[in-house]
Amino acid sequence: MTEETADGENGLGERERALLAVERRSWPGPGAKERAVRERLGLSPTRYYQLLNALLDDPRALAHDPVTVNRLRRVREEKQRRREG
């Protein structure tokens, strides 16, 4: 059983939970996700992806949303393999 903290579920803050929520959604077309990131989170897409990438290595994120985090880790690893090619 995991312990809930004052910061939220499993110690994740509101912003971290919001980042994962954006990734859980499917988006209708190009630009929709980036627009939502700017409007809802107040972040540039570049900053959003920096924060998301760091969050993928956080065990609290894995505990909060293992399906999304594991999917994103696989995508990241595949991109790294292609770059190393």
Side-chain angles (χ1 to χ4, degrees), residues 1-4 8-12 17 20 24 55-70 73:
M1 191 162 159
T2 59
E3 192 175 311
E4 189 169 323
E9 284 184 33
N10 301 320
L12 285 181
R17 290 191 310 272
L20 292 173
R24 260 192 313 276
L55 187 58
L56 295 182
D57 296 323
D58 188 328
R60 296 172 304 162
L62 184 61
H64 175 74
D65 191 345
V67 172
T68 301
V69 170
N70 282 324
R73 285 178 175 179

Side-chain angles (χ1 to χ4, degrees), residues 1-72:
M1 191 162 159
T2 59
E3 192 175 311
E4 189 169 323
T5 67
D7 293 329
E9 284 184 33
N10 301 320
L12 285 181
E14 185 177 329
R15 180 169 68 174
E16 289 83 4
R17 290 191 310 272
L19 292 170
L20 292 173
V22 167
E23 289 301 318
R24 260 192 313 276
R25 280 198 59 187
S26 61
W27 297 95
K33 180 176 171 182
E34 287 75 11
R35 196 165 36 257
V37 164
R38 286 184 192 279
E39 292 172 3
R40 294 180 192 168
L41 303 177
L43 297 170
S44 72
T46 300
R47 184 65 180 143
Y48 168 79
Y49 287 111
Q50 289 171 339
L51 293 169
L52 180 64
N53 193 49
L55 187 58
L56 295 182
D57 296 323
D58 188 328
R60 296 172 304 162
L62 184 61
H64 175 74
D65 191 345
V67 172
T68 301
V69 170
N70 282 324
R71 177 179 54 83
L72 293 170

